[in-house]
Amino acid sequence: MTAVDMKKSQASTINRGTYFLFTLFVVGIGWIIAAVNTGIAYLALGVDVIPIITGFVGCLVFVILLRFLHHAWWLAVLSVLPAVFVLVGSVQYAPEAALDLRGVRETVRITADSAAQDGGSNHRFSLVGPSGDKLTETLDYDGSAPEWRVGDRLTVVRAPEGVVPMEAASDVDPDGRLGSLAMGVGGWTGLALLAGRRGFVRRRAGRHPAFEGPA
């Protein structure tokens, strides 16, 4: 009987206002992770591995905070899907925005494909510019089924500084990357608010995941 009373006493000490503030804190952390990683991607243009690593760590931090907020794992696991949108959007928005704002567009012709020569799946297309001169930079495609072939003409976007890799103009979509980032942050926000509500109810009732001990 005493153990039951102690359990009820501990549950009653959980303050709704404090829990709501912690929920808003988790929401804010999600927004900060997305914003900071986007900023890191801007500062590390051309070195995608840096924002990929920092973004992965940030997403992992959010999953852990959501688990603690909800007092269960399933919402934390669901947050992995919007985390993918946050990671992809924050990493890819900066280079594509740089190409869109400062890039030089020109029509080129593909003269060679490295994968056709070495039998690999990663394609490095050699290009000839409008003046007929061979470009020093190649158009890279990591995959086995590119939409371009030798002899094709297409419009590419090149960064004047050469920091950001060249891309086909049709693939440069900073608005789409920003939309992906916004979708991810929106998903995190909704899950955090839901986790806060359910976590408060679970803790007030003294409930905990079946495979864990009492909180």
Side-chain angles (χ1 to χ4, degrees):
M1 186 69 177
T2 303
V4 174
D5 291 340
M6 288 180 61
K7 188 175 181 181
K8 289 183 178 179
S9 176
Q10 290 174 354
S12 64
T13 62
I14 299 174
N15 182 272
R16 185 185 299 272
T18 302
Y19 209 86
F20 178 68
L21 289 177
F22 181 60
T23 300
L24 293 182
F25 170 77
V26 175
V27 170
I29 289 295
W31 283 74
I32 290 171
I33 289 171
V36 168
N37 206 56
T38 302
I40 291 174
Y42 265 115
L43 296 175
L45 280 175
V47 191
D48 289 347
V49 66
I50 294 177
I52 288 174
I53 292 174
T54 57
F56 178 79
V57 172
C59 291
L60 183 61
V61 168
F62 187 83
V63 169
I64 293 173
L65 285 174
L66 203 65
R67 156 64 184 90
F68 181 77
L69 179 66
H70 184 210
H71 199 38
W73 273 108
W74 69 270
L75 276 179
V77 172
L78 282 181
S79 73
V80 173
L81 179 58
V84 173
F85 285 94
V86 170
L87 185 59
V88 171
S90 64
V91 171
Q92 296 187 347
Y93 173 72
E96 296 205 3
L99 283 176
D100 189 54
L101 293 173
R102 304 194 302 270
V104 177
R105 286 169 166 77
E106 57 186 6
T107 301
V108 298
R109 179 171 57 87
I110 299 176
T111 58
D113 179 3
S114 64
Q117 300 171 6
D118 57 27
S121 59
N122 296 329
H123 300 258
R124 303 293 179 264
F125 294 102
S126 300
L127 308 172
V128 170
S131 63
D133 297 330
K134 182 178 180 180
L135 303 184
T136 57
E137 188 177 4
T138 59
L139 178 63
D140 299 341
Y141 181 90
D142 296 330
S144 58
E147 58 182 295
W148 314 298
R149 297 290 185 270
V150 174
D152 287 352
R153 290 184 179 275
L154 69 154
T155 301
V156 297
V157 185
R158 296 195 293 165
E161 305 88 351
V163 176
V164 181
M166 174 196 304
E167 288 193 45
S170 58
D171 292 338
V172 178
D173 183 20
D175 291 340
R177 305 306 182 191
L178 187 60
S180 173
L181 180 60
M183 286 177 58
V185 172
W188 270 0
T189 300
L191 287 175
L193 293 175
L194 179 59
R197 176 177 173 78
R198 292 182 60 86
F200 176 76
V201 172
R202 290 175 66 87
R203 280 185 164 86
R204 284 293 294 265
R207 296 161 57 195
H208 56 85
F211 53 87
E212 297 182 5

